[in-house]
């Protein structure tokens, strides 16, 4: 890079001088419009950008355009396989519409969720996606910011905000009905105690409708470790249930590890169904029968709602589809 530019940040004016064009032409090249630039001129500008090491100021560009081409995503923990796939689906949906996605995890202990929301909005994002459960005060904060927002992965309506989710109760009910169809009568549920889970309600409704007693209820964190611990507790209990509904694939995989270590065979001794439909569910053995959340469809809907900019504050619910594999006792699907 030329010496005169080493001691300070390179500006758009520097690029224009180097390329022998106006700053407006530089803007047209970098923003791919609105006016067309001749190919040779465009190449001169791009060469100047490379030589000078110019890095456009995204925030300034956003301000000059009146809005940013970037969405902000607040997600609880993107190490979780479900949230990782949701992040990828949202990123793809954003990119398909010419937007980028800034992802922030809300489980940071040193920064509150409210602070993270304010920080995201300060970066001139044009829309906010929240993949986490908000408190009443956090919801009020999002409403007060007057920025297109959508809450995704909810159990139901989020008052005052656009929200998207899956009918967890119906999905769980379908999964338990499938287990009942195998003739299993003692069916346990393993899920979170953090708040009432619609999946637990679906388990209860399916067993009650079939006039079967409720099986064992085990509350555990949504993690591999939580699933492992739940599996140990089931094995060390008075008796092993004949089948289990796990509230997530992550919990189910942790349970598979605990069962395998203790000689419990799935599905011969304990059949299992889970929830979410993450990719990893197809790469354990036995593969998991799981209620699949339509993540790409949900992501496309969320991004469309931000771009559309409507004042709609409704809740949109999708259906989870049961994907049959071997963990429930069904034979290996034929391809």
């Amino acid at each position: 890079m030329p010496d005169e530019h080493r001691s300070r940040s390179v500006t758009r004016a520097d690029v224009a001088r180097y390329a022998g064009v106006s700053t407006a032409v530089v803007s047209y090249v970098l923003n791919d419009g609105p006016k067309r630039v001749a190919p040779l001129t465009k190449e001169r500008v791009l060469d100047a950008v490379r030589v000078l090491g110019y890095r456009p100021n995204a925030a300034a560009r956003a301000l000059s355009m009146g809005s940013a081409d970037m969405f902000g995503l607040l997600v609880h923990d993107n190490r979780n396989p479900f949230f990782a796939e949701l992040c990828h689906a949202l990123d793809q949906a954003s990119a398909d519409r010419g937007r980028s996605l800034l992802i922030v995890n809300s489980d940071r202990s040193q920064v509150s969720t409210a602070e993270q929301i304010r920080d995201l909005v300060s970066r001139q994002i044009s829309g906010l996606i929240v993949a986490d459960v908000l408190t009443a005060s956090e919801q009020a904060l999002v409403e007060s910011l007057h920025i297109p927002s959508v809450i995704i992965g909810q159990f139901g309506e989020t008052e005052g905000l656009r929200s998207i989710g899956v009918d967890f109760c119906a999905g769980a009910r379908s999964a338990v009905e499938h287990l009942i169809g195998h003739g299993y009568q003692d069916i346990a549920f393993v899920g979170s105690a953090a708040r009432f889970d619609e999946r637990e309600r679906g388990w209860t409704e399916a067993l009650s409708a079939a006039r079967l007693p409720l099986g064992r209820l085990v509350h555990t964190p949504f993690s591999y470790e939580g699933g492992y611990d739940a599996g140990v507790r089931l094995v060390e209990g008075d008796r092993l249930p004949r089948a289990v509904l796990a509230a997530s694939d992550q919990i189910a995989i942790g349970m598979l590890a605990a069962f395998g270590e203790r000689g419990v065979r799935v599905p011969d001794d304990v059949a299992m169904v889970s929830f979410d439909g993450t990719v990893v569910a197809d790469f354990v053995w036995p593969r998991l029968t799981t209620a699949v959340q339509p993540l790409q469809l949900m992501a496309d809907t969320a991004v469309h709602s931000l771009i559309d900019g409507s004042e709609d504050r409704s809740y949109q619910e999708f259906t989870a589809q049961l994907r049959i594999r071997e963990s429930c006792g069904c034979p290996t699907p034929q391809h």
Side-chain angles (χ1 to χ4, degrees):
M1 189 171 84
D3 292 340
E4 63 268 24
H5 297 294
R6 291 178 185 270
S7 59
R8 63 179 176 82
S9 297
V10 176
T11 67
R12 187 167 296 191
D14 294 326
V15 174
R17 279 193 296 271
Y18 191 94
V21 298
S22 68
T23 54
V25 170
V26 174
S27 179
Y28 300 153
V29 171
L30 297 179
N31 295 321
D32 197 25
K35 293 186 177 180
R36 185 176 178 276
V37 177
L40 289 177
T41 303
K42 182 176 181 179
E43 186 56 38
R44 286 209 317 273
V45 171
L46 294 176
D47 183 60
V49 168
R50 286 190 291 268
V51 171
L52 299 178
Y54 175 61
R55 296 291 182 269
N57 185 318
R61 177 168 175 255
L63 287 169
S64 68
M65 294 173 65
S67 66
D69 60 357
M70 179 169 63
F71 295 138
L73 169 61
L74 185 69
V75 60
H76 181 69
D77 181 359
N78 66 2
R79 295 170 302 177
N80 178 302
F82 170 76
F83 285 119
E85 292 187 25
L86 177 59
C87 286
H88 189 274
L90 287 165
D91 181 62
Q92 184 62 58
S94 299
D96 287 345
R97 292 161 178 80
R99 307 300 202 275
S100 55
L101 192 66
L102 176 60
I103 302 172
V104 173
N105 286 287
S106 63
D107 66 343
R108 299 177 185 173
S109 58
Q110 70 274 27
V111 183
S112 71
T113 298
E115 288 177 275
Q116 289 175 310
I117 292 172
R118 290 192 186 94
D119 180 62
L120 274 172
V121 174
S122 73
R123 296 173 184 274
Q124 300 298 323
I125 57 174
S126 59
L128 175 65
I129 305 169
V130 178
D132 197 3
V133 177
L134 300 180
T135 64
S137 63
E138 290 160 356
Q139 289 179 28
L141 170 63
V142 173
E143 287 183 75
S144 72
L145 294 171
H146 301 295
I147 181 174
S149 304
V150 60
I151 317 295
I152 192 166
Q154 300 303 290
F155 286 115
E157 183 178 358
T158 302
E159 187 176 353
L161 294 172
R162 176 89 163 94
S163 53
I164 293 170
V166 161
D167 190 337
F168 290 95
C169 181
R173 190 166 58 240
S174 173
V176 174
E177 288 169 351
H178 183 76
L179 291 173
I180 293 171
H182 277 278
Y184 309 137
Q185 298 187 359
D186 181 11
I187 302 172
F189 175 80
V190 178
S192 173
R195 59 189 179 279
F196 184 72
D197 191 331
E198 287 290 305
R199 285 162 283 208
E200 185 176 325
R201 182 160 73 91
W203 167 74
T204 300
E205 288 183 0
L207 291 174
S208 298
R211 300 182 184 276
L212 292 174
L214 295 183
R216 188 168 174 188
L217 176 62
V218 178
H219 287 142
T220 195
F222 275 91
S223 64
Y224 294 122
E225 295 81 4
Y228 182 90
D229 178 64
V232 171
R233 280 188 275 166
L234 286 175
V235 172
E236 294 179 350
D238 294 337
R239 73 176 189 280
L240 201 60
R242 184 60 189 88
V244 180
L245 167 62
S248 74
D249 296 339
Q250 204 175 14
I251 288 175
I253 291 168
M255 291 173 64
L256 281 176
F259 288 161
E261 284 183 0
R262 288 156 180 79
V264 175
R265 300 166 301 165
V266 177
D268 304 77
D269 301 320
V270 181
M272 186 185 299
V273 293
S274 61
F275 212 100
D276 285 341
T278 54
V279 171
V280 71
D282 260 348
F283 291 90
V284 292
W285 190 258
R287 296 181 299 173
L288 295 173
T289 292
T290 180
V292 181
Q293 297 197 49
L295 292 187
Q296 195 60 61
L297 179 58
M298 292 164 65
D300 289 339
T301 302
V303 169
H304 175 76
S305 74
L306 295 182
I307 294 174
D308 182 55
S310 72
E311 296 298 316
D312 182 14
R313 297 292 183 267
S314 65
Y315 170 62
Q316 187 167 354
E317 193 169 65
F318 292 89
T319 302
Q321 299 292 334
L322 197 64
R323 185 172 66 210
I324 306 298
R325 294 294 186 262
E326 295 85 4
S327 69
C328 61
C330 285
T332 300
Q334 298 299 310
H335 297 287

